[in-house]
Amino acid sequence: MTGKRFFVGGLLAVGLLGGCEPFEDDGGGGGAGDVRFSKGFAFVREDDRNVFVVDDAGDPNSPQRLTSTGGAYWPSVSRDGRSIVFVQRGGGTSLLTVPTTGGTVATLFTENDAACARGCTNFRTPTFSPDGRSVVFVFSPGNSSLTSLGRVNTDGSGFQELTPNLPVGFGAPSFVPNGTAVVAPSGSGLQQLNQVAYVPVSGGAIIYSSLGNDVVAVANRVAVSPDGSQVALDGRGSSSSVRTYVGTLSGRGNLGTLRRVTSYGGASAQETWPVWTGASQVGFLFVDSAGGDPGIYRSTVSAAPSNSVTLAVPSAAEPSYGPL
């Protein structure tokens, strides 16, 4: 399978989100990218755990490196394409931001901040709200074995726990387009995410949906489509293989029947970390668990599973895509 370039026009001047404090190591920025970021993938590489971006019009074999200290996980592009939020590990976890064209890395929120009354540790999978004013992320509250969802403003203020004192935990969240709710996998633990939760961010009843008969659990992420009518998720089947599935999402937050998107790869293949790259196209991390380097692939969402996928970015992990 060979790489393919995608061309879009336009350049975007960028800057830091207001209110964030400069990180003590500015990360170095820069890189080998030949096109400034306007629209494309953000990701990390497993060998050095730094954040990279590659524009759709750029060379996927020569991405731009945005950090240099390592320890980066789960980057997520803002809806305007100007900033990335990610988790920094090392002596605890923190939420950091960096401009998509490189520059100073800034600290947004840190473990055990006084604003988190129950104690916040083990941050995971942050995502920007559609208006860019807040970030929702997964954390471990206090000594609980169940993860919860938290929200913090992009100036570091206003922390709020969205799912306090519930008998289930939550995985990677994704906003609906109008920003009123997030959709996230849920279950008895991060390895048993056997339902999908629709969580209003301003309070209200959480809607839980089952995964149906073909999917035992969500491996990592549920991603809401650009128009909010569908979700994509990486579903683990009874054979432990992971595949990309899509289902409808009602206006009330109910998940419809899941259908498999691809029929690519053998029994040992894993399709994880799905992201929408268009109204009818998803990207996902593909790796053969029998060996090989993970890469980001694209596939069109259609009525029947497709065996036609395109390599978008080699040597990449935990992708995000934007803006949409």
Side-chain angles (χ1 to χ4, degrees), residues 166-184:
L166 294 177
V168 293
F170 297 85
S174 177
F175 270 94
V176 299
N178 64 10
T180 59
V182 294
V183 179

Side-chain angles (χ1 to χ4, degrees), residues 85-308:
V85 62
F86 63 98
V87 170
Q88 180 75 30
R89 284 182 169 179
T93 55
S94 300
L95 299 180
L96 306 184
T97 61
V98 64
T100 51
T101 51
T104 301
V105 178
T107 300
L108 172 60
F109 197 64
T110 60
E111 247 186 37
N112 294 317
D113 188 286
C116 184
R118 291 209 288 161
C120 298
T121 62
N122 193 25
F123 294 171
R124 303 174 64 89
T125 55
T127 187
F128 282 105
S129 62
D131 62 10
R133 296 180 180 178
S134 63
V135 169
V136 170
F137 60 101
V138 174
F139 72 97
S140 297
N143 295 319
S144 175
S145 61
L146 295 176
T147 51
S148 188
L149 297 178
R151 179 174 63 170
V152 64
N153 296 328
T154 48
D155 64 0
S157 69
F159 171 80
Q160 174 191 8
E161 186 174 355
L162 300 179
T163 53
N165 303 311
L166 294 177
V168 293
F170 297 85
S174 177
F175 270 94
V176 299
N178 64 10
T180 59
V182 294
V183 179
S186 178
S188 59
L190 291 175
Q191 303 304 315
Q192 295 88 32
L193 299 171
N194 61 355
Q195 55 191 350
V196 171
Y198 181 91
V199 183
V201 296
S202 296
I206 298 174
I207 306 299
Y208 296 95
S209 298
S210 65
L211 300 175
N213 297 324
D214 294 335
V215 178
V216 174
V218 178
N220 291 294
R221 173 191 286 164
V222 175
V224 179
S225 65
D227 65 0
S229 67
Q230 300 181 90
V231 297
L233 57 85
D234 47 353
R236 189 181 304 280
S238 57
S239 66
S240 296
S241 62
V242 178
R243 297 291 185 265
T244 303
Y245 291 82
V246 167
T248 59
L249 182 68
S250 75
R252 296 185 176 182
N254 298 110
L255 177 67
T257 302
L258 295 172
R259 68 185 189 279
R260 186 171 162 184
V261 172
T262 66
S263 58
Y264 181 74
S268 62
Q270 307 289 303
E271 300 171 4
T272 66
W273 299 106
V275 293
W276 291 88
T277 61
S280 60
Q281 188 180 69
V282 293
F284 57 88
L285 179 68
F286 177 87
V287 62
D288 191 322
S289 58
D293 197 23
I296 303 170
Y297 287 73
R298 298 187 198 233
S299 180
T300 299
V301 174
S302 57
S306 171
N307 62 4
S308 177

Side-chain angles (χ1 to χ4, degrees), residues 27-49:
D34 58 351
V35 175
R36 296 190 71 184
F37 186 84
S38 173
K39 185 177 187 179
F41 287 99
F43 59 93
V44 296
R45 283 183 164 165
E46 293 182 336
D47 58 349
D48 67 359
R49 279 286 159 188

